[in-house]
Amino acid sequence: MTVVVFLLFVALVLAVSRYTSRRAQGVGGYFVANSSIPWGVNGIAFAGGYLSVASFLGICGLIAFFGYDGFLYSIGFLAGWIVALFVIAEPMKRRGTFTFSDALNRTFSHPGIQLAAGLSVLVVSLFYLVPQMVGAGVLVEPLLGIPHYWGVLIVGSVVILIVAGGGMTSTTYVQFFNGGLLLLVAAVLTGAVLLRGIDLEQLPPEEGGAGLPKYEYRVLPAQIEGHSVTVDLPGVRLVDRHAVLDRNTGEEQTVLYRLSHLVPAQAAGGGGYSAEIKGRTARFNGRSGPGWTVEDIDGRSYVRIEDWWRWEGGTSSHLAETQARTLRPDGVVLMNGAPDGPENRIRQMGGISTLPEAYGRQTGSVGPLRLLSVFADRDTVVAVPRNTSFTTSGGERVTVHYEQALAGSTFMRPGLMFPLEARTGEPALTTLLNRLNFISLMLALFLGTSALPHILIRYYTVPSAEAARKSTIVAIAGIGLFYVLTMYLGVGSLAAGALNPETSNMSAPLLARSFGEVLFAVTSGIAFTTVLATVSGLIMAASGAVAHDLMTNLVKREVSDTAKVRAGRIVAVVVGLVGIVLGIAFRDMNVSFLVGWAFAVAASANLPSLLSMLFWKRTTAQGIIASILVGIGSSVGLILLSPDMWVRYGFDPATAPMPINQPGIISIPLSFAVLVVVSMATQNRGRTTAGTAPGAA
């Protein structure tokens, strides 16, 4: 059924695209829908294009894993629309025709501005495109049971059909269709979360119709002396030990023990065996294999596996069960010590272990404020998934997933993802960098919205500046409502224990699955159309930038409208293919985190030029060009040198040249400063009246 629902949504999107594409006539029809979109439709389309997979999947996942800090993304994404409403909306409509560069270049008629602005649109679109493609792959793995890369390929192919075939008209109505459905499903899921409340006795099963019971991770008493450990497991032997050190104090923060022990096994066909590993049936071919062996004891068969257990350090005298994925040097992948496969996969983690005494073991149905107050109570104990990765002395790459117990009051206040307060023994420099990273992210989210190319281009699809303002108000209302609902989707996912520890991006679909397979299929289908809506807008913006801005300047002659449309369609195909490749490469990163980088690049490259063009009379063409190029170069360069990228290169993140992950706090002021300095230095060469009045003709 899930496959049928998924295909139905894809078919509906293609039908909407096909029907509306008939209205895309000429260059104006292809790039800006002939500025004929009603403001109400445009407002919902704004929401459909802006509420990307990062909002639906990424933010819900971040809230489920990091509580209040995840919700800060919602606040930042919404706050950026204030700038769009009061500063950008009407002036952009008055000054532009087809693209972002039209508005910048209206006063100057300088080919360099078109080239720089076109390049900026391409770079920002690609940065924003990556998380959408990652989200598409994340969705299809559990929905259709196919690999991640197939989801990316499907999205890329469908979007290429939408954009190359129908242009902005079909893109607008696909986004309108998606925006309405997304708000509806978020409201339905929130209502279901409140109606169910929190129940510690009857946790929903995993994997929908399969009805896999929720797994209870064991906690075993242990005697720990130095590097030795004694625990009550059959045939237990200590194989390895790994200590996770606190980066600030150098002390052992948590210790992981690799234990070899026996698990009862049953003979299977073909000389193989099966055993229950973490509540799943794992298959073993033969009597031995990488990391496991079968042993016969007193007439019974056992499989000896090696898995990891966690000791929290300090005075604790127990080991907590974990999950671990191991990549051996010979390329074999083991999941929890057994061969990785369709049946032996990762189990869901997370949940609430203790409620305040007044509630006992269940709250029953709750109101919106009551649910949040229960989570924020200091007597509530939540278990959130965490992980650590390392390489063993034998060359095995191991990722261990475990549950960290937190007080509800800690979970629902700032500090889990963005530690703004100094921790015990933490150097002052580390505290400062944490705060700068947070400020940098918020700066990018607040300033980046109104500079995103797929948002700016929507102002040209309505007939007037007044319509642009009205559509922005509609967008703010829809987007604001959705971001309020993300809080309930995030905490609801945690309450249901519906968290995949390998990717936070699946929290919302897994929450829907906890209510039944139908809602899971519908939610996943709508999430998939969300990807289609956002990606089509991004590719449309990139298509216009190349065909309308870059090509005209590179060819050095007037290009016919027919050639521009043809070039736009070709660019749509090329950008779609590039997005597919990048989406596959970045599959394991949270989509909202990746989007934060796109906002930083947009704010650095585009916003200084937009604001100076509207409000500073002494802006010059040279200043705008320099600002855009420096904004692109500095933001992208700092991202490539950041700790998170350093990890992807295989280096220690502590040695990254850029000490924080978010570049906006450096690149945005730098872009503004370059614009001012270059404009002041080129007054005699680039005189302008750009700031006479916001949006002046």
Side-chain angles (χ1 to χ4, degrees), residues 246 248-249 413-415 418-435:
D246 189 303
N248 302 308
T249 63
R413 70 166 185 254
F418 305 108
L420 303 182
E421 298 179 357
R423 294 178 295 176
T424 303
E426 181 176 85
L429 178 60
T430 302
T431 305
L432 175 62
L433 291 176
N434 288 334
R435 293 173 179 173

Side-chain angles (χ1 to χ4, degrees), residues 92-104:
M92 281 298 294
K93 174 58 186 175
R94 291 193 183 105
R95 298 183 66 92
T97 305
F98 289 149
T99 65
F100 160 60
S101 72
D102 285 340
L104 287 181

Side-chain angles (χ1 to χ4, degrees), residues 132 192 305 371 376 401 427 465 511 520 579 588 593 616 649 678 685:
Q132 315 309 318
I305 66 168
L371 180 65
H401 302 279
L511 169 64
F520 169 68
D588 58 342
F593 183 84
W616 192 40
Y649 305 147
V678 174
R685 298 167 54 193

Side-chain angles (χ1 to χ4, degrees), residues 1 40-41 44 100 168 175 188 202 208 246 371-372 384 388 435 445 457 499 513 545 576 628 692 697:
M1 184 191 66
V41 172
I44 300 299
F100 160 60
M168 180 52 80
Q175 291 177 338
V188 169
Q202 295 183 346
D246 189 303
L371 180 65
L372 297 182
V384 293
T388 184
R435 293 173 179 173
L445 297 184
I457 198 174
L499 304 181
R513 193 172 217 172
I628 292 174
T692 53

